[in-house]
Amino acid sequence: MARPTVDELREQVRGDVIAPGDEGYEEARKVYNAMIDRRPAVVVRPVNAGDVIAAVNFARENGIDLAIRGGGHGVPGFGTCDGGVVVDLSRMKGVRVDPAKRTAQAEGGATWGDFNAATHAFGLATTGGIISTTGVSGLTLGGGIGYLSRGLGLSCDNLISADVVTADGRFLVANENVNADLFWALRGGGGNFGVVTSLEYKLEPIKDIYGGPMLFELDDAGDVLRFYREFIADAPEEFGGFPAWQIAPPLPFIPEERHGETFLAFVACWAGPLDQGEAVLKPLHDVAPVVAEHVGPMPYPALNAAFDPLVPPGLQHYWKANFVKELTDDAIEAHLAHGPKVPVVNSTVHIYPINGACHRMAPDGTAFAYRDANFATVIAGMWPDPAANNANIKWVRDYYAATAPLSEEGGYINFMSEDDQSRIKANYKGNYDRLVDVKKKYDPDNLFHLNQNIKP
Ligand SMILES: Cc1cc2nc3c(=O)[nH]c(=O)nc-3n(C[C@H](O)[C@H](O)[C@H](O)COP(=O)(O)OP(=O)(O)OC[C@H]3O[C@@H](n4cnc5c(N)ncnc54)[C@H](O)[C@@H]3O)c2cc1C
């Protein structure tokens, strides 16, 4: 059978088909991580599931790679490729809210900014990430950790149904009743099983929250981390938030003479009754003097977008991650040794709490296996200057070398780099074999292999 050509693909697709030499190609081949420099044979920007089917068939029939791009934030740059097809969902951003049922259906290219704006209008929300420009799809398919996870569970725990284009070009609905094995695998298994064109979530009544960032002196960082370890173990589940190493950006709430200095930040989010917020945060506030803070009531989408300016597209990225059951004294010492060396304002380390509602899902209830971990740590190296790659990567690796032995073997797939493929089995623990079985059923030839790959 003759292999389909790009011109034939152009005839089938209602959205954009962008090949080398076409206007916009240089922009279309890029992802968020500027370290990634790849040249696909064609970038397809679908406007509907039919376009996605055409793109998947084109890749399979030509025997070339296929990359899926939701929000494009994936650090390893699996959202682009050399010589293959990129399915870039950025024209599919629609979000439909059903306020009566308290659900929302998002197209596969929506970001959390798109999602939160749509649901906030109805006073509703679900767990999303902490940056508004991250894609709903990639984040949810890997698990989904954010401000609301202690109360509502991971993003994938709030997924009700997904529409998926599989490797053979079929369009499948996956939920608890239909293709339940696929639905199980999608909730944590990443982009291994197909192109997800639409995701339906349950929502909860959350509109405004009480929270924001506070900065503590480095000398007090140990006390704050030790307090956090105890407090978060049984804090009310409406409390979300995390400590973060942070160089102070030039923001008005931070005294000018402290701009550029390194602090331990704590970003808090109280999603319970607003009038309780101050009291809930008081113990944290009392651990040590707060150098600067921007804490108060605000719309949930405002907190979700508050740190976007620190992480614009076009930075270099290198990340490492681990799950952590217990933040031991030794682990805190390792953080104290490496955190204050955070090299640039864009880089950070976050120690996210994933207890509370995240623990109520059984370890084999979804593909996301680490339901007994209390924290997900990410060492997020992000910097503007490619000439500084070696020094910044070294900081991430040194930090990781010190903390990994004090952590679980596996980590969160969405916080990992391309050189973490060897950890894939550890990331899924007891769920790995079942994931392989689902992969064999829905993608036996591993068409979807540009990801943290589960091999059939
Ligand atoms: C600045 C920043 C902040 C972040 N904050 C958080 C956070 O708070 N919480 C958190 O949990 N994670 C966070 N992450 C990690 C994030 O979850 C991952 O980077 C995730 O992969 C991003 O999804 P995306 O759709 O934007 O990225 P993409 O690069 O588009 O996608 C990443 C991968 O996901 C898969 N994928 C994406 N869309 C689809 C689809 N529609 N169908 C099938 N597969 C798909 C593909 O394998 C793709 O290669 C953050 C990342 C960045 C860069």
Side-chain angles (χ1 to χ4, degrees), residues 23-59:
E23 197 185 334
Y25 175 79
E26 285 306 313
E27 205 49 43
R29 71 186 184 86
K30 283 186 196 157
V31 286
Y32 182 77
N33 179 359
M35 207 184 268
I36 311 293
D37 180 20
R38 296 186 186 137
R39 306 191 70 81
V42 62
V43 177
V44 178
R45 290 208 181 114
V47 293
N48 57 38
D51 286 354
V52 175
I53 292 171
V56 168
N57 289 342
F58 180 85

Side-chain angles (χ1 to χ4, degrees), residues 301-318:
L303 184 62
N304 179 236
F307 305 104
D308 292 3
L310 284 175
V311 286
L315 299 174
Q316 312 283 306
H317 288 250
Y318 184 76

Side-chain angles (χ1 to χ4, degrees), residues 259-277:
H259 292 173
E261 284 187 41
T262 303
F263 295 91
L264 183 76
F266 196 98
V267 187
C269 175
W270 169 251
L274 284 185
D275 58 1
Q276 295 175 10

Side-chain angles (χ1 to χ4, degrees), residues 31-32 67-80 89 107-110 128-131 133-147 155 186 190-199 311 317 319 350 352 382 412-415 448 450-452:
V31 286
Y32 182 77
I68 311 171
R69 193 185 303 164
H73 268 211
V75 167
F78 294 131
T80 188
L89 294 157
E107 288 188 301
I130 57 146
I131 298 290
T133 53
T134 310
V136 163
S137 317
L139 184 136
T140 303
L141 297 175
I145 297 169
Y147 292 113
S155 306
L186 289 175
N192 271 284
F193 305 97
V195 183
V196 174
T197 55
S198 167
L199 307 99
V311 286
H317 288 250
W319 294 25
H350 294 171
Y352 295 107
M382 305 178 270
Y412 175 38
I413 63 153
N414 274 351
F415 290 159
F448 302 110
L450 297 177
N451 44 44
Q452 299 292 351

Side-chain angles (χ1 to χ4, degrees), residues 216 220 222-228 281-290:
F216 294 94
D220 296 322
D223 288 341
V224 175
L225 289 176
R226 283 183 287 272
F227 168 82
Y228 169 61
L281 265 63
K282 187 166 186 308
L284 174 63
H285 213 257
D286 287 349
V287 179
V290 174

Side-chain angles (χ1 to χ4, degrees), residues 130 145-146 228 241-243 350-354 374-378 415:
I130 57 146
I145 297 169
Y228 169 61
F242 53 90
H350 294 171
I351 308 172
Y352 295 107
I354 49 167
N374 288 307
F375 304 97
T377 303
V378 59
F415 290 159

